[in-house]
Amino acid sequence: MKQYSLTAYLWLISTISIFTAFPAYSEEIAIKDIPQLSEIQLTHTSVKELFAQQPSQAIQVTGVRLNQTPSSLEIILETPTSDQLQVSNKSERNQFIADISNAQLRLPSGNSFRQEKPFTGITEVVVINQDANTIRVIVTGNVDIPKVELDDSDEGLILVITPATSSTPQTPDTSQPSSETPPTQPSSNANEPIELVVTAQKRPEASQDIPLSLTIIPQQELIDGQINSLQAIANNTPNFTFLPTTAGSADFSYYSLRGLNNFNFLASQDTVGFYIDDVPFDYGGFIDVALIDLERVEVLRGPQSTLYGRSSPAGVVNIISRSPSNQPEIGITAGYGSYNSREFQLSLSNAIIPDQLSFRLAGAYNARDGIFNNIFLDKATGERSQVTGRAQILWTPTPEWNISFNAYASDNDNGSPTFSRQNAADPFTISQEVDGFNRLSTNTQALKVSYNGNGFRATSITTRRFSNQNTLVGDNFPGDLLQQIIGINSTLWSQEFRLQSPENAERFRWLLGGYYESRDFQVIDDTFKYSEAGAVAFGVPAPGSDRVSAEQYRNTYAIFGQVDYKPVTPLTLFAGLRYETADTDLDRRRVFENTDGSVNPPTAEVRGATLNNDEFIPRFGLQYRFSQNVMAYATIAKGYRPSGFNYRADTEDTRRFQEETSWTYETGLKSSWLDDRLTANLSVFQTDVDNYQVLLTDDFGFFRNVTNANVKVTGLEFELTAKPVQGLNLIAGIGYVDSRFKNYRNPLTGGDFSDNRVPFAPELTYNLAAQYRSRGGFFARAELRGYGVTYFDDANQVKQDPYVLVNTRIGYEGEQYGIYLYANNLFDTRYITSGFLFPAPNVTAGFGDPVTYGVQVRAQL
């Protein structure tokens, strides 16, 4: 109790310090911006008025159309009634901005509208929901502010746009583009707002209004940065690392978010929730799949249990693919590079029934030759190939209903998982008798039904995912001592249902959800195969195969919810609660197969072992808006992972490990300046973990046991995005985390690891990207990724010293195409992504990719 009281006290003091000290740090925040107590208008407190949604009288804009005239462009905001829209306008540089204060967008294809280059002299037209009761229209001129006249009609409000310098008009695309429609050529206008509308809290809102540490990677940034994998996402996110075991093959991927990792691959549940189009992905051997045709990525740091179906103590990675468009669209990408790397991607989208039924298809092929030279077999090792496909059908029978079916499939042949000695002179030259393999196939299906009405919203998400992996790993020692053979598959079903307040709710917002998950995890084959020399080296009585097979079944049931309430205008209070229960069953068998085919059962077979868990998981906090540009927040949230079975354990006393709980205390500031062309966000946090689930090795370095330890994590994250001049974008982030074991002694060896660093959690991560795009078509981008000291074992004997990676990209972009040259790991930095004392005291390590070069061509038709 003393520990938690002290932590909570320190958290409260830091929160008060931020709130009281912040105005002194900026001359731009005037005292008059902060409401005085006498000026605050208290809200009504009756139950009826509390539940009443204040902006319910907002006029719905159900359509946005563009219409060409000989000398102007008309923007028509269609409304179902004849009510007049209330408009106030302003101008900023070459932008006309109109705020409609009594309306909300309710478009069939999404609640935002964007059209690039709709008319000569007009760079862009954007229509978005600025807040719960206001629509913002932004018209950007090529050179100067366009002239705008307003006109009411029976259809709705018409904005008549005349460019500042009129010339021969182009024929615009008057079909209604959705928010997912990409530009044919990205705009270089430095005055575009950085503000992004996201759904991290299961409702559309500006990212700068969300009270948590959040990294958003929008579609254009995903394209420009070649961000098409979880590793690339992590490279652009503070305090997030995602590392395949080796560059040759991703048979398992280790990640860490805010100092909490998935090093324990025998754990019952991951520390991070990964979602791709609402489908939950799990297990490190199954999640490193190709990401194609993306709309945006949202990385939420900190416990997420009251808004998402699956409890996630470290955070959530939410990946959203592009939705079907309402007009014909074809995208093509092709590339070639080092090690005979090849890539080809194609996407198609169109409306079957305009404004009601549309589809999207996307496929990709990626392959390269091996980067390791196996001098024993005289061949390249570690070749990779990947085929991926995605299909989506979107049906919007009415503006309120949205029904989509999404299917994804991927087949990966990743070659041999290849390791080297950490101190090898050339880690990419090896001598191995066995050329292994790693094959992964996965497919998912998801049905999402959404209702978005004036009184409430409802969402149902039904998903299925099947994954199958087969792996053969040879040792890196002369004589072929040992081979490891893995064959596992998993079938996961989930059903999530949410009821929540309408999008225009402002003062009082609520969400209530239920979640069910069924996971069938089958270990078909988990074998160590010893040669005669290997049996002697590892103390096995005779050569043969030590095989474990197991079936684990888990059913998870949860109800969760959150309430947000504004007692006064600048202050929002929020609280959430989750109740979760899980049942786990285990069947397990271990045998030793001799070379003559005979079988010895070294341990008794396990049938019908069961575990039951349940937990209450709260989250609560507050946010305060000092001014339109600055918001501060503070949260306390619990994290939870259920107990589970270690299917590799031979004895009952080592087979079960305890449930893991944590408390995270966080304060943060979010700010935007210079007409949203600069954002700067800071968060500070502490996490105290009880019974952290830890993976242990035996005397020979094999992972066979699981135990529990205490962990304390402190850290911060800072992110900055800027558009200082026209065409130039700057993106920077830095994360610091001190993640250490507390009161942790290895129960097998007696080694005391208290105060050691937690594996796979670098002390420092930082990223910087500078990008320039000119009106003439020139494009250039440079990226820097940095990592502090990273340890790979509990004893902190295996580590990677700090290192930096540099990527570059240069190209030319036309109206509908682009051609680029790129270099990744430009200075050919050597670094390891995993390391093991195997056999001790030798360090066997997986290495990151060497320098690679290539060319890429993109076209949007």
Side-chain angles (χ1 to χ4, degrees):
M1 290 296 295
K2 292 182 179 180
Q3 180 181 359
Y4 285 104
S5 299
L6 178 59
T7 302
Y9 175 76
L10 293 175
W11 170 84
L12 180 61
I13 292 299
S14 65
T15 303
I16 294 174
S17 299
I18 288 178
F19 277 84
T20 56
F22 184 81
Y25 293 140
S26 175
E27 297 178 358
E28 298 190 41
I29 302 178
I31 298 298
K32 62 183 179 60
D33 293 331
I34 304 176
Q36 303 300 309
L37 186 60
S38 60
E39 299 173 340
I40 295 176
Q41 182 177 358
L42 297 178
T43 59
H44 297 288
T45 56
S46 70
V47 174
K48 179 178 179 181
E49 291 171 321
L50 175 65
F51 281 86
Q53 302 305 332
Q54 193 171 17
S56 59
Q57 68 274 18
I59 301 171
Q60 292 188 21
V61 173
T62 56
V64 178
R65 290 192 294 112
L66 303 184
N67 183 46
Q68 176 194 0
T69 70
S71 60
S72 63
L73 176 70
E74 294 179 345
I75 304 174
I76 304 171
L77 305 182
E78 298 176 339
T79 59
T81 64
S82 59
D83 295 335
Q84 288 191 344
L85 299 176
Q86 301 170 6
V87 183
S88 62
N89 63 275
K90 62 180 179 178
S91 299
E92 295 180 359
R93 296 180 176 86
N94 61 333
Q95 285 186 328
F96 171 86
I97 300 174
D99 286 335
I100 304 170
S101 60
N102 65 331
Q104 277 284 285
L105 279 177
R106 290 295 173 86
L107 307 180
S109 57
N111 294 332
S112 63
F113 175 100
R114 183 184 300 270
Q115 180 66 57
E116 298 282 343
K117 298 187 176 180
F119 196 81
T120 297
I122 303 298
T123 300
E124 184 182 50
V125 172
V126 176
V127 186
I128 59 174
N129 284 323
Q130 178 70 4
D131 55 40
N133 204 34
T134 304
I135 292 176
R136 169 163 287 189
V137 180
I138 305 172
V139 182
T140 303
N142 284 355
V143 179
D144 207 343
I145 303 169
K147 179 182 176 182
V148 181
E149 297 180 358
L150 304 180
D151 183 23
D152 281 316
S153 71
D154 293 338
E155 295 179 283
L157 179 68
I158 301 177
L159 291 81
V160 182
I161 313 297
T162 305
T165 55
S166 181
S167 58
T168 304
Q170 298 174 338
T171 301
D173 180 3
T174 57
S175 60
Q176 179 176 297
S178 70
S179 60
E180 291 83 9
T181 303
T184 55
Q185 180 177 345
S187 171
S188 60
N189 180 16
N191 297 310
E192 289 182 1
I194 294 174
E195 194 78 84
L196 299 168
V197 176
V198 298
T199 55
Q201 294 195 123
K202 302 303 181 183
R203 57 179 179 256
E205 56 189 330
S207 61
Q208 290 298 101
D209 293 337
I210 299 176
L212 55 84
S213 185
L214 176 68
T215 295
I216 304 297
I217 309 177
Q219 178 185 327
Q220 196 58 54
E221 178 68 16
L222 294 167
I223 295 173
D224 293 340
Q226 293 184 293
I227 302 172
N228 55 11
S229 67
L230 286 170
Q231 184 175 8
I233 292 171
N235 290 342
N236 291 269
T237 306
N239 282 334
F240 185 22
T241 57
F242 189 95
L243 301 172
T245 49
T246 175
S249 177
D251 61 318
F252 193 87
S253 298
Y254 295 103
Y255 63 76
S256 174
L257 183 60
R258 279 195 167 182
L260 304 179
N261 62 40
N262 71 327
F263 184 44
N264 178 15
F265 59 82
L266 297 173
S268 58
Q269 187 170 304
D270 283 1
T271 58
V272 174
F274 294 92
Y275 295 86
I276 302 178
D277 297 327
D278 298 307
V279 179
F281 277 51
D282 67 344
Y283 187 70
F286 298 157
I287 59 178
D288 190 19
V289 296
L291 305 177
I292 61 172
D293 206 30
L294 300 184
E295 167 67 20
R296 70 180 183 276
V297 173
E298 305 169 354
V299 182
L300 293 69
R301 291 177 288 268
Q304 307 296 326
S305 300
T306 60
L307 293 172
Y308 283 80
R310 174 180 287 178
S311 176
S312 308
V316 161
V317 179
N318 191 26
I319 299 169
I320 300 100
S321 300
R322 294 175 60 197
S323 293
S325 60
N326 202 34
Q327 61 279 326
E329 180 184 310
I330 301 175
I332 302 173
T333 301
Y336 184 81
S338 304
Y339 302 100
N340 193 30
S341 66
R342 299 88 76 191
E343 68 165 322
F344 180 79
Q345 182 172 325
L346 175 67
S347 63
L348 304 170
S349 187
N350 200 358
I352 302 172
I353 303 175
D355 300 323
Q356 287 194 13
L357 185 64
S358 54
F359 73 91
R360 188 170 199 90
L361 301 174
Y365 170 74
N366 295 276
R368 76 174 183 191
D369 294 345
I371 65 174
F372 291 88
N373 179 26
N374 190 336
I375 59 176
F376 185 91
L377 298 178
D378 191 24
K379 62 171 292 188
T381 299
E383 67 282 356
R384 305 185 68 173
S385 66
Q386 197 171 55
V387 178
T388 306
R390 186 176 73 87
Q392 184 179 5
I393 293 289
L394 175 63
W395 182 35
T396 53
T398 69
E400 293 81 17
W401 286 95
N402 187 305
I403 302 169
S404 65
F405 178 77
N406 222 323
Y408 172 94
S410 178
D411 186 76
N412 308 305
D413 187 351
N414 290 327
S416 176
T418 306
F419 300 87
S420 295
R421 295 292 179 89
Q422 184 179 16
N423 57 359
D426 181 3
F428 296 103
T429 298
I430 61 171
S431 178
Q432 293 183 3
E433 294 87 344
V434 176
D435 189 21
F437 58 82
N438 174 41
R439 301 186 182 102
L440 170 66
S441 61
T442 183
N443 64 82
T444 69
Q445 301 81 39
L447 176 65
K448 183 176 182 179
V449 180
S450 301
Y451 172 78
N452 190 349
N454 288 328
F456 68 94
R457 286 178 290 157
T459 305
S460 171
I461 305 171
T462 306
T463 75
R464 174 193 176 272
R465 186 190 185 205
F466 175 78
S467 304
N468 183 74
Q469 184 182 42
N470 292 282
T471 305
L472 171 63
V473 184
D475 61 45
N476 64 332
F477 311 109
D480 186 21
L481 304 180
L482 175 71
Q483 298 176 24
Q484 185 177 15
I485 303 167
I486 299 290
I488 53 179
N489 66 63
S490 172
T491 303
L492 188 146
W493 287 87
S494 71
Q495 174 63 54
E496 181 174 352
F497 185 75
R498 296 193 304 267
L499 284 173
Q500 58 192 119
S501 53
E503 286 185 9
N504 59 6
E506 189 173 86
R507 179 159 49 95
F508 179 75
R509 297 182 294 194
W510 54 271
L511 180 146
L512 179 64
Y515 182 72
Y516 168 72
E517 180 180 290
S518 170
R519 183 175 186 249
D520 181 2
F521 191 84
Q522 301 279 337
V523 182
I524 309 301
D525 194 358
D526 187 348
T527 298
F528 290 98
K529 183 178 180 180
Y530 301 92
S531 65
E532 290 189 8
V536 174
F538 293 101
V540 178
S545 299
D546 187 358
R547 174 174 293 128
V548 174
S549 60
E551 300 85 37
Q552 293 192 82
Y553 308 91
R554 186 182 73 230
N555 291 313
T556 302
Y557 307 85
I559 55 174
F560 56 92
Q562 182 168 305
V563 172
D564 296 33
Y565 177 60
K566 279 188 176 181
V568 292
T569 301
L571 176 66
T572 301
L573 307 176
F574 53 89
L577 182 65
R578 176 190 186 89
Y579 174 72
E580 177 174 312
T581 179
D583 304 319
T584 306
D585 299 329
L586 172 70
D587 297 334
R588 187 256 190 191
R589 183 170 182 253
R590 180 184 176 193
V591 298
F592 191 91
E593 296 182 359
N594 299 304
T595 54
D596 61 3
S598 58
V599 175
N600 302 321
T603 59
E605 187 173 353
V606 176
R607 289 286 180 185
T610 60
L611 275 175
N612 304 103
N613 300 270
D614 67 296
E615 191 76 17
F616 286 97
I617 311 169
R619 176 180 184 260
F620 49 92
L622 57 88
Q623 66 181 103
Y624 189 90
R625 183 160 290 282
F626 290 99
S627 68
Q628 184 177 359
N629 296 329
V630 182
M631 181 267 284
Y633 68 89
T635 62
I636 301 177
K638 187 176 184 179
Y640 169 72
R641 285 203 292 172
S643 62
F645 286 113
N646 171 14
Y647 72 82
R648 285 185 173 178
D650 290 330
T651 60
E652 185 66 24
D653 60 328
T654 60
R655 185 167 294 127
R656 303 165 188 256
F657 50 87
Q658 300 179 50
E659 63 183 15
E660 174 187 311
T661 59
S662 61
W663 284 96
T664 297
Y665 310 89
E666 179 176 346
T667 59
L669 289 168
K670 291 193 170 186
S671 64
S672 58
W673 312 97
L674 304 175
D675 300 327
D676 290 334
R677 287 184 288 127
L678 172 68
T679 65
N681 300 330
L682 172 69
S683 61
V684 181
F685 64 92
Q686 176 178 312
T687 300
D688 298 311
V689 188
D690 287 335
N691 294 323
Y692 188 65
Q693 296 168 1
V694 182
L695 188 64
L696 299 177
T697 59
D698 61 16
D699 294 337
F700 295 106
F702 299 136
F703 296 112
R704 292 193 183 276
N705 297 289
V706 179
T707 189
N708 293 91
N710 293 336
V711 169
K712 181 177 181 179
V713 186
T714 57
L716 63 84
E717 289 126 6
F718 176 75
E719 292 183 286
L720 182 144
T721 305
K723 296 186 177 183
V725 297
Q726 182 172 301
L728 179 62
N729 289 6
L730 300 176
I731 302 170
I734 185 170
Y736 167 80
V737 66
D738 183 22
S739 181
R740 295 182 181 272
F741 290 114
K742 299 297 178 184
N743 306 318
Y744 172 33
R745 186 178 295 273
N746 188 316
L748 303 178
T749 65
D752 188 357
F753 298 149
S754 299
D755 209 39
N756 281 11
R757 295 291 300 270
V758 172
F760 292 93
E763 184 177 25
L764 191 67
T765 58
Y766 52 94
N767 60 281
L768 173 65
Q771 176 178 298
Y772 178 74
R773 176 175 273 119
S774 74
R775 293 185 182 275
F778 176 74
F779 173 85
R781 180 183 176 96
E783 303 171 345
L784 182 146
R785 316 279 183 238
Y787 305 87
V789 175
T790 306
Y791 293 96
F792 298 100
D793 65 329
D794 298 345
N796 289 179
Q797 296 178 347
V798 183
K799 71 173 183 177
Q800 167 64 55
D801 291 326
Y803 64 99
V804 173
L805 303 177
V806 175
N807 302 330
T808 59
R809 186 170 165 89
I810 189 171
Y812 175 79
E813 296 173 334
E815 188 71 22
Q816 293 181 307
Y817 69 91
I819 182 168
Y820 311 89
L821 300 174
Y822 66 85
N824 295 327
N825 190 5
L826 179 64
F827 300 107
D828 201 19
T829 302
R830 293 286 186 264
Y831 63 98
I832 66 172
T833 59
S834 63
F836 316 94
L837 284 172
F838 181 76
N842 299 295
V843 175
T844 297
F847 281 79
D849 283 346
V851 59
T852 56
Y853 306 95
V855 59
Q856 186 186 69
V857 178
R858 301 181 59 88
Q860 190 76 34
L861 307 177

